[in-house]
Amino acid sequence: FGIELSIAFLSTLITALVGSAGATYAGRTIVENLLKLVPGAGTLAGGLIGAGTAAALTTILGELYIATLAALFTDSGGEPPSSEDIVREFKRRLRRKNA
């Protein structure tokens, strides 16, 4: 999309992510680690849940970011959106996805 990524922009985006989706994924991490306490099968199950969570999170966030940028570019007639607009729309879409 040609958007310049700064450290400040990425920090704001990550903060929005942690605030909106952090509790959901923290719960999965707790379950994963509790399963690892079970000898043998627990370690395997915990590892699978961890890998599945990481893959799902990466996919969801990537698709959400792309959808956010596509919508903002369409709404603005092809003009690049501001960092603030991207973060605001990303947060809105993330909250809607978690609802």
Side-chain angles (χ1 to χ4, degrees):
F1 287 94
I3 301 290
E4 187 173 323
L5 300 176
S6 68
I7 297 297
F9 171 71
L10 291 175
S11 296
T12 304
L13 201 59
I14 290 170
T15 301
L17 165 68
V18 170
S20 297
T24 301
Y25 296 104
R28 289 185 186 166
T29 301
I30 290 169
V31 170
E32 167 193 338
N33 287 325
L34 287 174
L35 282 173
K36 288 181 180 179
L37 295 174
V38 178
T43 301
L44 178 62
L48 290 174
I49 290 172
T53 300
L57 180 60
T58 302
T59 301
I60 289 168
L61 293 178
E63 289 177 357
L64 189 63
Y65 185 71
I66 291 168
T68 298
L69 289 179
L72 289 172
F73 269 94
T74 299
D75 291 347
S76 70
E79 292 295 316
S82 69
S83 297
E84 294 81 17
D85 289 341
I86 294 170
V87 171
R88 185 175 28 258
E89 181 65 14
F90 186 78
K91 282 182 184 179
R92 188 184 71 75
R93 289 172 179 262
L94 189 58
R95 277 191 298 267
R96 193 171 60 194
K97 186 132 184 104
N98 285 330

